[in-house]
Amino acid sequence: MKKTVIKATIAWISTVIILACASGIWLSLPQGNLQDKPLDAQGKKPVQSALSVAATAQNTVALCPVLPSGEKSQTVVAALSQHREAPKGSYRTMGADTLALAPYGNGYVSAATLTDVQSGTLEVEPVKNSPSLGIGLSYSVVGEKKPSLQVGQCATPVSSAWFIGASTKIGSTSELVLTNPSTVAVTVQLSAFDHIGPISDTHGDMTIAPQTTQSVRLDARYPQTDGLAVHVQASGAGIIAALKTEESQGLTSLGADFISPAAPPMPQVTIPAVRLGNSDQKLRIVNPQAQPVTASVFVIDKAKKKVLPGADSISVSAQAVQDISLDYVEPGLYSLVIEADKPVTAAAKLVISPEIEKTAASDQRLLSTDKPSDDSKDRDITPSERDFTWSPAVEAQTSGVVIVPKDMPTTFVGATLTPTQIHFEAPGRSDNSAGNAHANDDAHSDSGKQGINDTPGQQNVINVKAQAPATLQPGIWIWASQTPVSLGGIAATADNKGIAYIPGFVSAREATTIDIRIVP
C-alpha cells in the first residue's frame, strides 16, 4: 500500500509545486505592462484583479475513507475529463487489488463500482494535457436491528477544513482521522470551539509523517464537550481529514455519522439540504472571529424566504458556537441561510426515526418558537430506533457532479436566492439498470422521468427550479445552473431507520484551476 501511495502522490505533489512556481513567476513579473495601459473612463489605472492558472496535466489522486461493512454497502469511484474522451483511471484498495475504471456513458466519464465498502486510492490520468477529476463515494448500512446509514466522500488533500457536529459528552465518541499522502511531513493545527468559546488545547500541533495516517480521539482531547466544532489547518501539501462521530445511551446506539466538511466562514452561508420533522434537531452556527457576531437565520421553502421565528437577530459569542432548535419547524425539506455581520459557518443536525416518520405527514406543527405542548412529548424518539446526520453549509457554484449509490435514492436540493434552473445530466448507463429521476417544481409536480439510460451516448436532462428537490436514481449525475447554487443531498433507508448527507463534487474544470486574487 505504501509503495502505491508514494507513486500516486508524487504526481500530485509535482502539480502543487508547478502551480506554486507558476504563481510565483507571474507575481514576480515587472508591473510595467499594467502601468503603461491608458487610464479608464474614471481616470484610474486598470488593476489586475484575478488570474486563472490552469493546472499542469499530471495524474490526480484521491483517497477513499474507511467505513464499516454493513448489510448493504457500496463504493463508487469515477473520473471525469474536460474533453469528450474518457480518462484512464485505476482504484487500488487497501487489499492491494487494482480495479481499472471503464468508460461510462458519453465518453468523458470512466467509473467502477465495488459491491462492498473498500477504502483505497483513486488515480486518474489527464486527457489532452488537461487534468481529469477523480471522485468517489462509499456508503454502508451498519447494523441489523438498529441500522445506521454512513456515507464517506473520497477526498484530496486540503489546507483547511471545518467539521461541525462532533460531541464528546458521556455516551458519545468522535474520531478525527488525518492522512498525509505526500512524501514530506505535514504540520497540523487543531482549533476547537464550544458554546462557551475556544477550548484550550495542551496537546499542541501535530506532525504527520509522510505516507501515514494518524487518528485523534476527540473525546480524549476535548472531554465532556457538547456542541463541538473543529478547524483543521495543515501546512505544505495539505492533509486528508475525516471525522466520524457516534452517539449512544447506555448500550443503546443513537446513531452515527461520517461528517462532511462545512464551507469556510463567510458573511452568508447556505445549508441546502435540511430535512425536518423529528426531535433533537438543531442548527449550529460557528463564529471563529475574535469578536461577537450578530446573525439572522432564514428558511427557504418552495422559493420563499422567511425568517426563522426567534432567530432574526442572534448574538454568537467570540470564537464560540450557538445552537438553535429546529424541533418545532413543520416537517418538510428546506434550505437554511445564515446572514451575519462577520464571517461564520454552520451545519444542521437531522434525525430520523420510524415512529416519527409515521406521523410526519399529518403533523401540523408550525414554524414558530412556541413552547411544545404536552402532546408533543408523545413524539419523542425511541432511542433504539434513531439515526442522525449533519448537513453542512455548502459553497455556491455553477456546476458540479453528484454520485447516487445503488439502492439508495437521494434527494438533492439546490438553494439560491436568485431564481434559476438546475440541469441534471446522466452521462450514460449505471450498473446496467435503468432508473427514473424525478424533479419537482414549486407545485411538486413531476417534470421529468427520463432517468439514467442504458444506452451510452444519450443524455438525460432534468430541469429543476431553485429551492425544489430532485430525487435521483443510482448513478453519476452532472449538473449546471445559470447562477451560483449551493447543492447537497439527503438519503434515507427504505425503512426510515438510517439517514445520511450526500456531498457533491465540483466540476472537473473548477477543480483543476487556481484563481490567484490580487488585492490592490
Side-chain angles (χ1 to χ4, degrees):
M1 178 65 182
K2 281 191 174 184
K3 293 182 179 179
T4 302
V5 176
I6 292 174
K7 293 180 180 178
T9 55
I10 288 177
W12 182 86
I13 295 172
S14 300
T15 301
V16 175
I17 295 174
I18 293 174
L19 285 171
C21 292
S23 304
I25 291 174
W26 187 88
L27 293 174
S28 65
L29 291 176
Q31 300 299 309
N33 292 337
L34 191 62
Q35 299 293 334
D36 292 341
K37 290 183 178 181
L39 301 179
D40 59 17
Q42 285 74 37
K44 299 180 180 179
K45 293 183 178 180
V47 177
Q48 179 70 40
S49 59
L51 174 68
S52 292
V53 181
T56 304
Q58 301 287 339
N59 289 9
T60 57
V61 177
L63 297 184
C64 297
V66 178
L67 292 182
S69 296
E71 55 187 63
K72 290 183 179 180
S73 57
Q74 186 184 61
T75 296
V76 179
V77 290
L80 292 81
S81 75
Q82 302 179 40
H83 305 279
R84 307 298 291 188
E85 179 180 334
K88 294 181 180 180
S90 61
Y91 185 63
R92 179 176 289 270
T93 67
M94 294 289 289
D97 295 327
T98 300
L99 183 67
L101 274 61
Y104 175 105
N106 293 343
Y108 54 94
V109 180
S110 297
T113 300
L114 293 81
T115 56
D116 195 3
V117 172
Q118 297 188 40
S119 59
T121 303
L122 171 65
E123 183 172 3
V124 180
E125 298 181 8
V127 173
K128 296 181 179 179
N129 202 36
S130 296
S132 300
L133 173 66
I135 61 175
L137 201 69
S138 296
Y139 89 95
S140 183
V141 180
V142 183
E144 298 179 359
K145 296 182 179 180
K146 306 168 187 177
S148 172
L149 176 58
Q150 300 180 35
V151 174
Q153 181 180 18
C154 303
T156 55
V158 295
S159 60
S160 174
W162 286 88
F163 292 99
I164 303 172
S167 176
T168 63
K169 64 181 181 180
I170 296 177
S172 301
T173 60
S174 295
E175 181 181 9
L176 182 66
V177 181
L178 304 172
T179 301
N180 175 16
S182 71
T183 56
V184 296
V186 171
T187 300
V188 177
Q189 179 184 15
L190 299 184
S191 302
F193 313 89
D194 66 4
H195 296 105
I196 300 176
I199 303 175
S200 59
D201 191 342
T202 59
H203 295 80
D205 296 349
M206 296 178 293
T207 299
I208 312 297
Q211 317 284 303
T212 61
T213 295
Q214 184 171 330
S215 295
V216 180
R217 290 294 298 266
L218 298 184
D219 39 313
R221 193 172 180 119
Y222 312 113
Q224 300 301 309
T225 302
D226 191 21
L228 187 62
V230 179
H231 185 203
V232 179
Q233 294 174 283
S235 65
I239 201 78
I240 296 176
L243 177 61
K244 179 182 178 182
T245 185
E246 300 181 18
E247 296 181 4
S248 63
Q249 181 177 311
L251 299 178
T252 302
S253 172
L254 299 183
D257 190 32
F258 196 99
I259 297 179
S260 296
M266 293 177 286
Q268 176 179 297
V269 293
T270 300
I271 305 175
V274 181
R275 178 184 175 181
L276 299 179
N278 295 330
S279 301
D280 193 31
Q281 300 181 125
K282 65 190 71 175
L283 167 66
R284 180 164 296 166
I285 303 175
V286 183
N287 171 23
Q289 312 301 325
Q291 305 84 23
V293 303
T294 300
S296 298
V297 181
F298 299 89
V299 177
I300 302 179
D301 178 25
K302 303 175 186 177
K304 296 180 180 179
K305 176 185 175 184
K306 52 187 176 182
V307 68
L308 181 69
D312 55 342
S313 183
I314 303 169
S315 179
V316 185
S317 300
Q319 296 184 307
V321 305
Q322 178 73 44
D323 283 355
I324 302 170
S325 176
L326 300 172
D327 286 355
Y328 302 102
V329 177
E330 182 181 0
L333 188 61
Y334 304 93
S335 297
L336 299 178
V337 176
I338 299 92
E339 298 179 358
D341 56 357
K342 300 179 182 65
V344 297
T345 186
K349 183 181 183 181
L350 316 179
V351 178
I352 195 170
S353 169
E355 284 75 14
I356 299 299
E357 292 300 314
K358 291 177 183 178
T359 62
S362 59
D363 197 334
Q364 299 299 316
R365 287 177 289 174
L366 300 177
L367 185 65
S368 71
T369 55
D370 295 340
K371 293 183 179 180
S373 64
D374 292 337
D375 294 339
S376 66
K377 296 179 181 178
D378 297 334
R379 292 191 293 264
D380 287 346
I381 293 171
T382 302
S384 61
E385 299 289 342
R386 192 187 96 153
D387 191 26
F388 70 91
T389 190
W390 284 87
S391 183
V394 177
E395 289 189 84
Q397 56 196 51
T398 56
S399 62
V401 186
V402 296
I403 297 177
V404 181
K406 185 179 180 181
D407 300 325
M408 200 61 61
T410 302
T411 299
F412 283 91
V413 179
T416 174
L417 300 179
T418 303
T420 188
Q421 285 188 321
I422 308 173
H423 300 264
F424 288 91
E425 173 188 339
R429 57 189 175 82
S430 172
D431 297 331
N432 295 320
S433 61
N436 291 329
H438 301 279
N440 298 327
D441 60 15
D442 294 341
H444 296 282
S445 63
D446 291 343
S447 59
K449 295 185 179 180
Q450 296 298 322
I452 299 175
N453 199 293
D454 285 331
T455 305
Q458 294 190 8
Q459 296 183 3
N460 300 282
V461 178
I462 302 172
N463 296 327
V464 183
K465 289 185 178 180
Q467 292 91 34
T471 301
L472 306 178
Q473 292 298 321
I476 299 169
W477 295 82
I478 300 172
W479 67 271
S481 63
Q482 299 172 339
T483 59
V485 170
S486 296
L487 186 140
I490 294 294
T493 56
D495 56 7
N496 284 318
K497 293 183 178 180
I499 188 172
Y501 171 76
I502 305 294
F505 303 85
V506 298
S507 64
R509 187 173 300 277
E510 291 181 2
T512 55
T513 302
I514 288 182
D515 285 333
I516 303 174
R517 302 296 177 185
I518 309 299
V519 180

